[in-house]
Amino acid sequence: MEMEDKHMARRKVAAGNWKMNKTPSEAVKLCEEMKPLVESDSVDVIYCVPAIDIVPVVQAVKGTNVKVGAENMYIEDNGAFTGEISADMILDAGAEYVIIGHSERREYFSEDDDFLNKKVKKALEKGLKPILCCGESLEQREMGVTMDWIRFQIKSDLTGVTADQVKSMVIAYEPIWAIGTGKTATTEQAEEVCKGIRDCICEIYDQATAEAVRIQYGGSVNAGNAAELFAQGDIDGGLVGGASLKADFGKIVNY
Ligand code: PEP
């Protein structure tokens, strides 16, 4: 009962990852279309958008329940890092969250856990809330090393991060084989790993921190599977790619 109360105390969080989609004008149009669909008093709604869309999207969602996040950031405050954006830039543009360690960044941009740990610490130091992604490949799942791998990612990425900082974060469990493939993890698989992540946080920090941190599932979440996934004790919402660009996202928010 006590655990159930604590689960209820964590607000669900539905975050859209727009990836490299939507020009600024398309982004504003999507925000207008989605406005009535994503209204919710009980679920936190976040649009994580391309850097160039942050300012117009912040403007477009003003006065609504929608928060804005970036999809990436660099580890330095400023300087000769052509093409990068800093935590201060993201904050000044009006965003509150930043996705760190998405598997597409890990794979296509060779971001390793040492680098991601620096990003997590920089984001937190500046007051941005990281949505930290972790997840195993199909090969790792078939080899039976899923939880070992996830624990390695969590421990590496959170090195030097305090319990209070972790409480403000969102962790997204995203099995790589389920991202953009239409192949969702089963509810049992998703819950098992999200619970494993919470246990890992409890080991590194303490029970209170583990109970406070919000852990999402991501990987082909859609209007049809969100309710069952989000009903699990350790799944506090979803990180949603493809379906976040459609009216479906409203159904996911109001699962
Ligand atoms: C993602 O990009 O984080 C994601 C989960 O994508 P999709 O929902 O399209 O699988």
Side-chain angles (χ1 to χ4, degrees), residues 17 19 102 104 133 174 178-182 218-221 239-243:
N17 173 15
K19 311 198 187 197
H102 192 280
E104 288 151 17
C133 301
E174 299 208 302
I179 298 177
T181 58
S220 300
V221 173
L239 181 57
V240 184

Coordinates of all heavy atoms in Angstrom, one line a residue, residues 17 19 102 104 133 174 178-182 218-221 239-243, ligand 1:
N17 N 9.6 13.2 -28.5 CA 10.9 13.5 -29.1 C 10.7 13.7 -30.6 O 10.4 12.7 -31.3 CB 11.8 12.3 -28.8 CG 13.1 12.4 -29.6 OD1 13.5 13.5 -30.0 ND2 13.9 11.3 -29.7
K19 N 12.7 14.5 -32.8 CA 13.9 14.2 -33.6 C 14.1 15.3 -34.7 O 13.9 16.5 -34.4 CB 13.7 12.8 -34.3 CG 13.2 11.8 -33.3 CD 13.4 10.4 -33.8 CE 12.8 9.4 -32.8 NZ 13.2 8.0 -33.0
H102 N 20.2 9.9 -26.0 CA 19.3 9.1 -26.9 C 20.2 8.1 -27.7 O 21.3 8.4 -28.1 CB 18.6 10.0 -27.8 CG 17.4 9.3 -28.5 ND1 17.6 8.6 -29.6 CD2 16.1 9.3 -28.2 CE1 16.5 8.1 -30.0 NE2 15.5 8.5 -29.2
E104 N 20.1 7.3 -30.7 CA 20.5 7.8 -32.0 C 21.8 8.7 -31.8 O 22.7 8.7 -32.7 CB 19.4 8.6 -32.6 CG 18.3 7.6 -33.1 CD 16.9 8.2 -33.2 OE1 16.7 9.4 -33.1 OE2 15.9 7.4 -33.2
C133 N 18.5 8.9 -21.4 CA 18.1 7.7 -22.1 C 19.1 6.5 -21.9 O 20.3 6.8 -21.9 CB 17.9 7.9 -23.6 SG 16.7 9.2 -24.0
E174 N 14.8 2.9 -23.1 CA 14.4 2.8 -24.5 C 15.2 1.6 -25.1 O 16.3 1.8 -25.6 CB 14.7 4.1 -25.2 CG 13.9 5.3 -24.7 CD 13.7 6.3 -25.8 OE1 14.7 6.7 -26.4 OE2 12.6 6.6 -26.1
A178 N 13.3 -1.4 -30.1 CA 11.9 -1.0 -30.1 C 11.7 0.5 -30.6 O 10.6 0.9 -30.8 CB 11.3 -1.1 -28.7
I179 N 12.8 1.2 -30.9 CA 12.7 2.6 -31.3 C 12.5 2.7 -32.8 O 13.3 2.2 -33.6 CB 14.0 3.4 -30.9 CG1 14.1 3.4 -29.4 CG2 13.9 4.8 -31.4 CD1 15.4 4.1 -28.9
G180 N 11.3 3.3 -33.1 CA 11.0 3.5 -34.5 C 10.7 2.3 -35.3 O 10.7 2.3 -36.6
T181 N 10.6 1.1 -34.7 CA 10.4 -0.1 -35.4 C 9.0 -0.6 -35.4 O 8.6 -1.6 -36.1 CB 11.3 -1.2 -34.7 OG1 10.9 -1.3 -33.3 CG2 12.7 -0.9 -34.8
G182 N 8.1 0.0 -34.5 CA 6.8 -0.5 -34.4 C 6.7 -1.7 -33.5 O 5.6 -2.3 -33.2
G218 N 10.2 4.1 -23.4 CA 10.2 4.6 -24.8 C 10.5 3.5 -25.8 O 11.4 2.7 -25.6
G219 N 9.8 3.5 -26.9 CA 10.0 2.5 -28.0 C 8.7 2.1 -28.6 O 8.0 1.3 -28.0
S220 N 8.3 2.8 -29.6 CA 7.0 2.5 -30.3 C 5.8 2.6 -29.4 O 4.9 1.9 -29.5 CB 7.1 1.2 -31.0 OG 8.1 1.2 -32.0
V221 N 5.8 3.6 -28.5 CA 4.6 3.9 -27.7 C 3.6 4.5 -28.6 O 3.9 5.3 -29.5 CB 4.9 4.8 -26.5 CG1 3.6 5.2 -25.8 CG2 5.9 4.2 -25.5
L239 N 8.5 8.2 -23.3 CA 9.3 9.1 -24.3 C 8.8 8.6 -25.7 O 9.0 7.4 -26.0 CB 10.8 9.0 -24.1 CG 11.6 9.9 -25.0 CD1 11.3 11.3 -24.9 CD2 13.1 9.7 -24.7
V240 N 8.2 9.5 -26.4 CA 7.5 9.1 -27.6 C 8.1 9.8 -28.9 O 8.2 11.0 -28.9 CB 6.0 9.5 -27.5 CG1 5.2 9.0 -28.7 CG2 5.4 9.0 -26.2
G241 N 8.5 9.0 -29.8 CA 9.1 9.5 -31.1 C 8.0 9.8 -32.1 O 7.2 10.8 -32.0
G242 N 7.8 8.8 -33.0 CA 6.9 8.9 -34.1 C 5.5 9.4 -33.8 O 5.0 10.4 -34.4
A243 N 4.9 8.9 -32.7 CA 3.5 9.2 -32.4 C 3.4 10.6 -31.8 O 2.3 11.1 -31.6 CB 2.9 8.2 -31.4
Ligands
PEP1 C1 12.3 7.8 -29.4 O1 12.7 8.5 -30.4 O2 12.8 8.1 -28.3 C2 11.3 6.8 -29.6 C3 11.0 6.1 -28.6 O3 10.8 6.7 -30.9 P1 9.5 5.9 -31.3 O4 8.4 6.2 -30.4 O5 9.2 6.3 -32.7 O6 9.9 4.4 -31.3

